[in-house]
Amino acid sequence: MGLQIEQLKNRAKEYAKAYHEKEVKRGVHKGEMEKILRQADWLMEQKFCFCDRWDMEPCSTVYEVSPFSWDACPNGDPEWIYMLNRQEYLKKMLMAYWYTGQERYVEGMKQYILDWVRQNPKETFGSLMTRTIDTGIRCASWTPLLLHLLAMERIKEEELFEILESMEQQFLYLYQSYVPKYRQSNWGVLQTTSILQNAAWFGECFCLEEMKQIAEWAKDELLDQLESQIYGDGSHWEQSMMYHIEVLNSVTTMLVFRKRAGVVTPKRAEEILYGMYDYVMHAAGPDHLQIAQGDSDVTDIRDVMTRGAMLFEESAFKYAGYEEPDLESIWCFGMEQKEQYLKLKSKQPEILNGLYTESGNFYYRSGWEIDSNYTYLHNGPLGSSHGHSELTNICNYYKGKAFLTDSGRYSYIEGELRNRLKSPEAHNVSVIKGCPMGVPDGSWSYAYFADSLNNYCKTIEGIHYAEMPYVMQNKQKEPAYCCRRILIFPEGIWLLSDDLRMAGTQESTMYFHLAPEVIVKEQKEREVLLENEDVRLILGAEYPLEQRQEILSRIYNENEEHTVFQAKTNWENEGVCTAWMHPENAELKDTVIIQAEGKQVATSVVAKEVWISGELSYVVIMRTHENYRGRKVFLYQNCGFYGKVVILKKTEEGFEPSEVDKGISGSVPGDYD
């Protein structure tokens, strides 16, 4: 064993050469080291704050744990216990040592690890301190810390053996406790990646007979997990960007550690990982923030894309990342990759929109610049317990500013607020009273959830069209149907039309959740003027808009007020609810469409004239029903056309029809009398 330890020390010293203390002293982004030192000092006083960018359940409040205990829960949220036991925060103490040269930081870091090991023997596994997901994260957090302690000769052999013995017992516990559902869950990935990255470095020093078998199992299982969890389009099936990125980060870290250890990772894992990075790039808003889809926070993704660019040397990923790597990325990849990153040219992505049909997530943008328009649409499977009732949900930016937003998650604690933030009413959707698309009945479950149907998308001359249907039923098993049709114009105009169908007299409500920065400048009965900083947008609806204040959460454990508008209407058997958003220089007006035979006004259509800067620019026609009687041709003024969704574009010669959805484009010849 002595020989293996010496070899490990030499390997650790080679590993540590890639991580320069001067880089920590310099800092990368203003305030990084100041924040790290502050947190390291708190840790020396047994004070904890979980506020790193990708902490899954952050808590910005600083709590002192005295007397110290690994099952402390100062805020009443068990997630705090889990965060405490993951020990991801300990690297700050190592960085503080590098920055200041003060031995107390590195000794404090080591004592936290040893105390955990001594307070949590294998007989206690299965407690709140040793959930399988947290065990995986904790052991992954230890990997670089142990390597640096070895390289600096700041750990005794008996201390190292004590930690490694605990680690292999934890891995045996993960192996024996593994259940089939983990293959489909982020929990599974966070366990197998931890085993693989530690086996690559410490495998020769593990004494447990089963460790080689466990490592082989983890390698095979990880590939199965990735194939099972990641759709072919690169999106994670759990329908939460937060957990998509958590899986992405853990696999990336594992790949880097195994490469540094000289261990080859299957190419297929890298292929899947590339698709996941591409998805994050397209999903982020023009301000680089992720949408709070499902159980997610609103988080800057540039550090993630920086690591993607470092891993794949991808210019488009660097465009979506930082000009210079952040400290977290350097901590993961080392100085050599930093230098390569600085040499890598940044290139705007070639593909503008991200259309992810398998997961039902659609991202449209007018450009990649920070002042671009952006639209997020969702209509897809629930995924997992992290999914919310948000079928047909829309979030948008105009000129780089957020207007319609998601309500977030706030907390996993059981209660009314948790259920409400998961409910349809917390999203930008239509809800039929008594027949919601989803009924949460606890923090992690639903009493009912609707079935999304196939979506349809098409783009013509910069105009995007999306059709998102789903079916549902009420408590009496009576069926209902909803289909949202959305048109997005390059000028920053959104037209939404919800086709709702259910037998009997019904009441439905359209919800519009505004970003907290948005203020209401003017309000009329059916239109409101909204403003975010110096950017203005009009929200309008066919029915009166009612205003109220609600709670949303952009970060776990934090909430704030925001404005919500709702438009209610009543209908018999079927109803069409229409709304729009557009700049001040635009206006939407009702118009009349004629069915050619008999000059009869066409029914079951939504027809709008779109005026921009005082000029008629487009006419929009959306049919809600099949036209099965009489002539099928429609007329607007002297222009004939056919299709479920048609846009007539104004030209010098008149109107030019463009079929958008399942129809025939171009003028229709013949006698319209």
Side-chain angles (χ1 to χ4, degrees), residues 21-258:
E21 295 179 25
K22 67 179 183 181
E23 192 66 22
V24 170
K25 292 180 180 180
R26 185 177 75 86
V28 181
H29 297 292
K30 188 177 181 181
E32 268 192 313
M33 278 313 304
E34 181 182 332
K35 179 181 177 183
I36 288 170
L37 284 172
R38 183 168 62 250
Q39 291 177 302
D41 286 335
W42 288 338
L43 291 169
M44 293 300 299
E45 300 171 356
Q46 298 179 359
K47 296 177 180 177
F48 298 86
C49 171
F50 310 125
C51 50
D52 285 354
R53 184 174 293 182
W54 297 109
D55 282 338
M56 280 191 282
E57 291 81 37
C59 179
S60 59
T61 303
V62 181
Y63 290 102
E64 181 178 359
V65 182
S66 182
F68 185 79
S69 169
W70 290 106
D71 61 355
C73 189
N75 66 350
D77 185 353
E79 299 294 336
W80 202 95
I81 303 175
Y82 309 147
M83 292 296 299
L84 178 68
N85 284 272
R86 291 168 185 172
Q87 295 196 342
E88 294 175 288
Y89 45 83
L90 291 183
K91 64 188 175 193
K92 296 179 176 67
M93 303 183 81
L94 179 61
M95 292 181 183
Y97 164 70
W98 285 343
Y99 190 82
T100 65
Q102 296 181 30
E103 293 281 346
R104 65 190 185 98
Y105 290 117
V106 73
E107 284 300 315
M109 178 190 76
K110 187 174 66 174
Q111 288 308 312
Y112 270 121
I113 299 174
L114 288 168
D115 187 74
W116 191 95
V117 168
R118 292 161 184 170
Q119 296 299 323
N120 294 277
K122 62 182 180 180
E123 292 79 15
T124 66
F125 290 178
S127 67
L128 289 175
M129 293 78 78
T130 57
R131 294 193 315 169
T132 54
I133 181 176
D134 310 318
T135 297
I137 295 171
R138 177 174 53 255
C139 290
S141 303
W142 287 354
T143 314
L145 304 182
L146 292 179
L147 291 174
H148 284 295
L149 286 170
L150 281 164
M152 298 185 299
E153 299 185 356
R154 295 294 196 280
I155 188 169
K156 299 175 183 177
E157 284 194 13
E158 56 266 31
E159 293 171 335
L160 178 64
F161 285 136
E162 190 176 3
I163 296 169
L164 292 181
E165 183 182 4
S166 172
M167 190 184 287
E168 61 185 358
Q169 289 295 335
Q170 292 179 68
F171 290 153
L172 179 62
Y173 160 65
L174 293 183
Y175 178 66
Q176 294 175 337
S177 304
Y178 198 83
V179 293
K181 73 174 184 178
Y182 287 165
R183 181 170 290 183
Q184 198 70 18
S185 168
N186 67 87
W187 282 46
V189 173
L190 297 176
Q191 295 172 61
T192 54
T193 52
S194 181
I195 294 170
L196 288 171
Q197 78 178 45
N198 280 291
W201 281 96
F202 307 118
E204 295 300 318
C205 298
F206 287 144
C207 299
L208 196 66
E209 190 175 316
E210 296 94 335
M211 275 309 302
K212 287 187 178 179
Q213 176 188 344
I214 293 171
E216 283 298 313
W217 164 82
K219 184 174 69 173
D220 295 336
E221 185 64 22
L222 176 63
L223 275 179
D224 288 342
Q225 290 166 347
L226 293 176
E227 294 284 8
S228 180
Q229 294 182 32
I230 311 304
Y231 287 114
D233 59 20
S235 59
H236 192 271
W237 87 285
E238 290 192 79
Q239 299 287 19
S240 161
M241 184 56 74
M242 173 69 66
Y243 292 92
H244 176 111
I245 290 177
E246 193 67 30
V247 168
L248 182 60
N249 284 341
S250 68
V251 178
T252 297
T253 302
M254 181 272 299
L255 282 176
V256 172
F257 273 103
R258 286 174 70 83

Side-chain angles (χ1 to χ4, degrees), residues 322-341:
Y322 290 119
E323 284 187 28
E324 186 176 342
D326 58 294
L327 201 53
E328 187 68 29
S329 297
I330 296 172
W331 170 257
C332 180
F333 281 89
M335 290 298 295
E336 300 100 324
Q337 289 296 108
K338 178 199 172 182
E339 297 305 320
Q340 291 183 17
Y341 185 86

Side-chain angles (χ1 to χ4, degrees), residues 486-502:
I486 301 176
L487 279 164
I488 307 165
F489 292 83
E491 294 87 354
I493 300 170
W494 291 262
L495 177 61
L496 292 70
S497 183
D498 291 340
D499 180 6
L500 306 170
R501 304 182 193 185
M502 187 175 183

Side-chain angles (χ1 to χ4, degrees), residues 551-604:
I551 296 293
L552 64 65
S553 174
R554 291 189 277 195
I555 301 174
Y556 190 89
N557 271 319
E558 298 181 16
N559 64 70
E560 56 193 307
E561 281 196 344
H562 75 302
T563 300
V564 182
F565 282 98
Q566 59 183 42
K568 293 183 180 179
T569 184
N570 297 288
W571 40 271
E572 189 82 21
N573 299 326
E574 58 186 64
V576 178
C577 306
T578 305
W580 52 87
M581 299 185 80
H582 58 76
E584 287 183 285
N585 70 333
E587 186 180 5
L588 270 65
K589 301 178 181 179
D590 291 328
T591 191
V592 174
I593 303 299
I594 302 296
Q595 193 170 349
E597 187 172 336
K599 302 285 187 181
Q600 183 181 1
V601 176
T603 58
S604 302

Side-chain angles (χ1 to χ4, degrees), residues 379-616:
N379 189 59
L382 173 64
S384 77
S385 303
H386 290 299
H388 288 192
S389 309
E390 52 187 344
L391 298 180
T392 74
N393 189 33
I394 175 173
C395 298
N396 71 345
Y397 287 66
Y398 175 60
K399 292 186 177 181
K401 304 299 182 183
F403 279 87
L404 295 182
T405 193
D406 197 285
S407 297
R409 56 175 177 161
Y410 180 60
S411 175
Y412 293 154
I413 296 177
E414 298 284 356
E416 186 276 332
L417 182 57
R418 168 64 171 162
N419 281 352
R420 187 174 66 76
L421 291 177
K422 290 175 64 179
S423 72
E425 289 83 359
H427 301 88
N428 304 306
V429 301
S430 278
V431 179
I432 301 174
K433 188 176 181 179
C435 191
M437 69 183 72
V439 182
D441 66 349
S443 187
W444 304 110
S445 60
Y446 282 86
Y448 172 77
F449 202 86
D451 294 310
S452 60
L453 305 177
N454 287 338
N455 302 298
Y456 176 84
C457 304
K458 192 168 185 177
T459 297
I460 295 180
E461 297 179 4
I463 302 171
H464 310 298
Y465 173 73
E467 186 175 286
M468 303 184 294
Y470 65 90
V471 292
M472 55 191 162
Q473 60 185 24
N474 61 12
K475 289 182 178 179
Q476 291 74 42
K477 308 296 183 181
E478 297 168 330
Y481 167 84
C482 174
C483 181
R484 169 163 283 184
R485 297 178 174 90
I486 301 176
L487 279 164
I488 307 165
F489 292 83
E491 294 87 354
I493 300 170
W494 291 262
L495 177 61
L496 292 70
S497 183
D498 291 340
D499 180 6
L500 306 170
R501 304 182 193 185
M502 187 175 183
T505 302
Q506 309 296 340
E507 178 185 287
S508 64
T509 305
M510 293 183 83
Y511 293 92
F512 308 93
H513 293 259
L514 306 184
E517 293 80 11
V518 176
I519 60 174
V520 180
K521 297 294 292 183
E522 297 177 13
Q523 183 169 358
K524 301 177 183 178
E525 185 182 30
R526 298 180 182 179
E527 281 196 348
V528 293
L529 176 61
L530 309 174
E531 185 177 81
N532 186 342
E533 294 184 10
D534 58 342
V535 178
R536 291 186 168 191
L537 203 60
I538 291 172
L539 166 67
E542 296 284 0
Y543 304 101
L545 288 164
E546 302 172 11
Q547 179 182 350
R548 71 174 193 269
Q549 297 299 114
E550 285 284 1
I551 296 293
L552 64 65
S553 174
R554 291 189 277 195
I555 301 174
Y556 190 89
N557 271 319
E558 298 181 16
N559 64 70
E560 56 193 307
E561 281 196 344
H562 75 302
T563 300
V564 182
F565 282 98
Q566 59 183 42
K568 293 183 180 179
T569 184
N570 297 288
W571 40 271
E572 189 82 21
N573 299 326
E574 58 186 64
V576 178
C577 306
T578 305
W580 52 87
M581 299 185 80
H582 58 76
E584 287 183 285
N585 70 333
E587 186 180 5
L588 270 65
K589 301 178 181 179
D590 291 328
T591 191
V592 174
I593 303 299
I594 302 296
Q595 193 170 349
E597 187 172 336
K599 302 285 187 181
Q600 183 181 1
V601 176
T603 58
S604 302
V605 299
V606 175
K608 296 286 184 182
E609 293 178 342
V610 181
W611 293 72
I612 302 173
S613 299
E615 299 288 333
L616 178 59

Side-chain angles (χ1 to χ4, degrees), residues 292-350:
Q293 179 200 6
D295 284 340
S296 296
D297 294 339
V298 178
T299 315
D300 194 317
I301 56 86
R302 282 178 290 181
D303 64 325
V304 176
M305 297 313 304
T306 297
R307 291 190 283 279
M310 292 174 105
L311 183 64
F312 293 105
E313 298 185 8
E314 173 58 67
S315 297
F317 294 170
K318 183 174 182 179
Y319 182 89
Y322 290 119
E323 284 187 28
E324 186 176 342
D326 58 294
L327 201 53
E328 187 68 29
S329 297
I330 296 172
W331 170 257
C332 180
F333 281 89
M335 290 298 295
E336 300 100 324
Q337 289 296 108
K338 178 199 172 182
E339 297 305 320
Q340 291 183 17
Y341 185 86
L342 293 175
K343 295 175 183 176
L344 181 66
K345 291 185 178 179
S346 175
K347 183 181 178 183
Q348 194 175 94
E350 294 180 0

